[in-house]
Amino acid sequence: MVGFFDTYGFLIVSMVIGAMLGLSLYLPLMAGQLSLASPGFYALGGYIAAILSTQVFSATQELFPVPFLLLEMLVAGVVCGILGVIVGIPALRLRGIYLAIATIAFVEILRVVSLNLEITGGAVGIFGIPQPFQTAIEYLWIAIPLLLVSMFFLYRLEKIRVGRAFAAIREDELAADAMAINPTYYKVLAFTLGAILAGMVGAISAHFLNTWNARQGTFDASIIYLTFVLIGGSRSFIGPVLGGMIFTALPEVLRAIADTAGLPTVLAQFFRDGRLIIFGLLIVIGTIFFPQGLVTPELLKERGIRSWMKR
Amino acid sequence: MDEEVDLKNNDPILEAQQLTRRFGGLVAVNNVSFTVNKNEIFGLIGPNGAGKTTLFNLITGLVQPSGGKLLYCSKEIIKLRPHQIASQGIARTFQNIRLFGELTAIENIIVARHIHINSNVFTGVLGLPPAPKEEQNNKQKALELLNLVGLSNRATEKAHNLPYGDQRRLEIARALALEPQLLLLDEPAAGMNPNEKQNLSKFIRQITTDFDLTTILIEHHVPLVMGLCDRIAVLDFGQLIALGQPEKVRSDPAVIAAYLGVG
Ligand SMILES: Nc1ncnc2c1ncn2[C@@H]1O[C@H](COP(=O)(O)OP(=O)(O)OP(=O)(O)O)[C@@H](O)[C@H]1O
Ligand SMILES: [Mg+2]
């Protein structure tokens, strides 16, 4: 068992982080807004944690105190929440693909800024972020509760006034407006909730990855998170959670396949480096054949999961 | 158009003053003024493209006027956003049905009770008071409305899977869920057979009384409008060409000309 965790600890924690990043993209999507801003907030959250833990908190212990990490997550969540409101109000005036493009631009801007600032370590980034745990797998102590809280939050959200307002705006923004629902308010709220989650996850990730640099919030990441949601399922929070886990593990699986003896070199190379190509293909194929993703509310209902959850 | 003696107590709920809306060179609503009284059933008729729906869009804030004033309960509402106007008590249905298709019938109604719930993200998510009680109440109210429009056995059906007539009824129920004072119905009888139209007519009269509403109704079927409405306004090419009680409007030469395409 110990051997298993040594080998796969890093992957397992990454999968949990992937699930939460999927959820951070799913939140604005609940209100029908295709935002690809999550990697930007994720990167920002990570920088906040990296800077605080390396420059502000002077922990002398061998292990970085967990309460400090929690505090960093809080700060990251608050800062990303505020930035979410500031960015969301103008950006969410844009619709559909234009919003997606604007949020990609936002991610790029943050990336370029972080490349050029001193405090973020420029192109090199920030190194030697202190470790609160001895092994990778122990990060689950932080990651799993956050995932569970997020899932509970979304599970409840879908059943209450705010979640219904999101759904109404997703279905028909104009009709929702005519039913006394303020579309701007709820779109910004959905966007901001996603930003907060992405920021908190970034704070965990910075410690987990030990270094943080401008490669963390990129356009590639936007596409990958989008795959989590589109293929996993965009109509139930279970979709992005499963999608995030599966697609975080997929590159590892591909790598394993690539290492199979006797595979033609070209193919092996493709499995190893063609991750984005494969993700892109999956998005195309997935949206054609499973427009709602693999996990749909109907599927959950069929399997009785819904009725089981309702109890 | 001569000033008539109003049989009802003259208690205006909605006043349009020189309301105008242009789309490029086209004047969809042209200098229209009228008053709708409280508890009235007010008909709005006119040929295709006369500007009836545009007038509804102006009242509900979906379209901004190029000029003129619009007073609801003596307050100017032109600057308000659609959701603000709706929360002041003006609800509507759409000519081309706009339900929340992927939501179930009952969810469509509960959504429209938005302003009658106070719980926010935190009380809602954590199920703290008053959220659970409010949710319970809401569901109850929604069921009553579904029952009222005869859809209680289709509560969990997705809206876009309902037959056309049921969708129209559901849209009315959704509008009522707002608990409005002013209800705007854009061609609610479209696609119904004479028998259904008859029932709808009775239904509109019933809800107007039971919910203490004022109803403005766009309808092409003239007999229905004549039989149901207290007063009727006639639009033609954006202009108000007649306004008054049904008998008067029916015999108005300008109206006859507009409908026969003369003049
Ligand atoms: N958003 C818009 N942009 C441009 N033109 C518009 C717009 N909305 C309405 N119009 C035009 O304004 C005129 C009035 O349209 P409106 O929909 O109000 O008519 P209507 O009386 O409701 O007709 P119908 O009986 O066919 O529903 C039409 O010529 C229409 O093409
Ligand atoms: Mg119309």
Side-chain angles (χ1 to χ4, degrees):
Chain A
M1 206 61 189
V2 172
F4 174 83
F5 282 138
D6 280 349
T7 317
Y8 292 106
F10 187 84
L11 179 62
I12 292 169
V13 176
S14 299
M15 285 165 72
V16 174
I17 287 173
M20 290 191 280
L21 290 172
L23 286 179
S24 79
L25 210 96
Y26 173 76
L27 270 157
L29 217 51
M30 281 177 83
Q33 308 305 305
L34 178 57
S35 155
L36 298 176
S38 288
F41 293 111
Y42 172 72
L44 179 61
Y47 276 118
I48 290 171
I51 293 166
L52 286 177
S53 62
T54 55
Q55 296 174 24
V56 181
F57 302 146
S58 48
T60 46
Q61 301 93 314
E62 190 192 338
L63 287 181
F64 187 71
V66 171
F68 281 2
L69 171 57
L70 296 177
L71 187 62
E72 288 164 19
M73 288 165 64
L74 183 71
V75 174
V78 170
V79 172
C80 288
I82 293 169
L83 187 64
V85 174
I86 294 170
V87 171
I89 290 173
L92 290 159
R93 289 168 166 264
L94 302 169
R95 273 154 218 274
I97 197 72
Y98 298 103
L99 172 65
I101 293 168
T103 52
I104 291 171
F106 163 75
V107 172
E108 275 305 295
I109 291 169
L110 281 188
R111 190 176 70 85
V112 172
V113 167
S114 68
L115 267 176
N116 289 290
L117 284 183
E118 200 158 323
I119 192 167
T120 52
V124 192
I126 298 172
F127 279 91
I129 301 167
Q131 294 300 302
F133 302 112
Q134 222 114 45
T135 57
I137 193 74
E138 286 174 82
Y139 273 91
L140 287 182
W141 288 115
I142 305 286
I144 289 278
L146 185 60
L147 177 65
L148 290 180
V149 168
S150 313
M151 286 173 72
F152 173 76
F153 183 86
L154 279 155
Y155 164 73
R156 286 289 304 160
L157 195 63
E158 285 175 1
K159 297 192 173 334
I160 62 169
R161 174 178 188 258
V162 178
R164 283 192 302 260
F166 288 172
I169 293 166
R170 181 190 71 208
E171 289 297 311
D172 188 334
E173 185 174 333
L174 189 142
D177 207 349
M179 296 301 133
I181 294 166
N182 182 347
T184 312
Y185 177 86
Y186 285 100
K187 286 195 296 192
V188 173
L189 178 61
F191 181 81
T192 304
L193 289 173
I196 293 172
L197 182 57
M200 296 189 12
V201 175
I204 301 177
S205 264
H207 287 275
F208 178 59
L209 298 178
N210 199 336
T211 68
W212 201 251
N213 54 46
R215 278 196 302 278
Q216 293 307 329
T218 60
F219 176 62
D220 294 3
S222 302
I223 298 305
I224 290 168
Y225 304 170
L226 186 63
T227 321
F228 296 172
V229 181
L230 289 188
I231 308 296
S234 55
R235 284 304 168 88
S236 156
F237 67 93
I238 306 281
V241 169
L242 289 182
M245 292 188 168
I246 292 168
F247 285 98
T248 307
L250 188 66
E252 299 306 317
V253 176
L254 292 178
R255 207 163 293 154
I257 296 175
D259 290 341
T260 319
L263 208 65
T265 348
V266 186
L267 218 53
Q269 193 78 35
F270 177 68
F271 280 136
R272 210 167 286 135
D273 302 328
R275 182 161 74 131
L276 279 178
I277 300 175
I278 292 169
F279 277 27
L281 275 177
L282 283 171
I283 291 185
V284 172
I285 295 168
T287 39
I288 292 170
F289 293 104
F290 308 99
Q292 296 200 346
L294 295 175
V295 182
T296 60
E298 285 74 22
L299 182 80
L300 294 179
K301 210 175 279 173
E302 260 169 49
R303 296 273 176 271
I305 294 175
R306 264 286 154 91
S307 57
W308 166 77
M309 285 200 307
K310 265 193 185 123
R311 257 180 263 153
Chain B
M1 189 172 42
D2 35 22
E3 235 7 84
E4 72 208 80
V5 193
D6 212 314
L7 297 178
K8 299 210 163 214
N9 51 338
N10 211 330
D11 182 9
I13 185 165
L14 186 77
E15 282 178 77
Q17 296 172 359
Q18 282 106 45
L19 208 54
T20 300
R21 170 68 208 209
R22 292 187 200 89
F23 290 112
L26 178 93
V27 192
V29 173
N30 191 352
N31 208 21
V32 168
S33 305
F34 62 91
T35 301
V36 179
N37 294 319
K38 199 160 174 3
N39 294 123
E40 205 171 21
I41 300 183
F42 188 93
L44 193 55
I45 63 172
N48 288 110
K52 306 179 295 291
T53 298
T54 304
L55 192 54
F56 269 20
N57 289 342
L58 287 168
I59 297 171
T60 49
L62 297 179
V63 158
Q64 295 302 308
S66 316
K69 280 188 173 172
L70 201 51
L71 305 180
Y72 170 67
C73 298
S74 312
K75 272 185 301 205
E76 178 65 85
I77 55 168
I78 269 172
K79 294 264 144 54
L80 300 182
R81 306 274 315 122
H83 64 92
Q84 294 171 316
I85 292 175
S87 51
Q88 301 224 341
I90 302 183
R92 71 173 291 174
T93 64
F94 294 89
Q95 180 171 0
N96 49 338
I97 301 171
R98 301 192 76 138
L99 288 165
F100 306 118
E102 280 287 321
L103 306 189
T104 62
I106 189 159
E107 281 168 345
N108 265 272
I109 299 182
I110 297 179
V111 162
R113 295 199 44 79
H114 189 76
I115 45 170
H116 301 291
I117 322 178
N118 293 315
S119 60
N120 57 29
V121 179
F122 298 102
T123 54
V125 163
L126 297 177
L128 299 175
K133 204 179 156 104
E134 276 182 342
E135 290 290 333
Q136 195 57 39
N137 272 343
N138 247 346
K139 197 163 178 193
Q140 191 55 41
K141 283 254 164 64
L143 281 172
E144 283 165 19
L145 283 170
L146 269 183
N147 201 24
L148 182 76
V149 294
L151 288 175
S152 36
N153 54 344
R154 320 213 66 161
T156 55
E157 193 102 33
K158 275 190 185 177
H160 67 63
N161 289 338
L162 292 173
Y164 184 78
D166 287 353
Q167 291 195 17
R168 285 229 169 269
R169 274 188 277 274
L170 181 57
E171 246 207 341
I172 298 180
R174 184 180 67 172
L176 289 174
L178 252 96
E179 301 182 14
Q181 275 101 58
L182 182 59
L183 176 66
L184 312 181
L185 302 173
D186 197 345
E187 305 199 15
M192 290 189 176
N193 66 36
N195 190 26
E196 288 170 325
K197 280 185 175 152
Q198 196 63 44
N199 289 336
L200 180 76
S201 183
K202 273 190 219 139
F203 177 72
I204 292 172
R205 186 167 291 145
Q206 181 206 330
I207 56 174
T208 304
T209 325
D210 291 356
F211 294 99
D212 192 26
L213 292 175
T214 306
T215 304
I216 308 182
L217 170 78
I218 296 178
E219 184 49 58
H220 277 291
H221 190 66
V222 176
L224 188 149
V225 184
M226 294 284 169
L228 177 62
C229 297
D230 300 310
R231 286 193 307 151
I232 295 170
V234 188
L235 281 183
D236 189 27
F237 292 111
Q239 282 179 313
L240 186 67
I241 59 167
L243 172 66
Q245 279 146 0
E247 320 77 71
K248 232 154 96 188
V249 166
R250 193 204 312 261
S251 54
D252 192 309
V255 176
I256 295 167
Y259 268 86
L260 297 178
V262 210

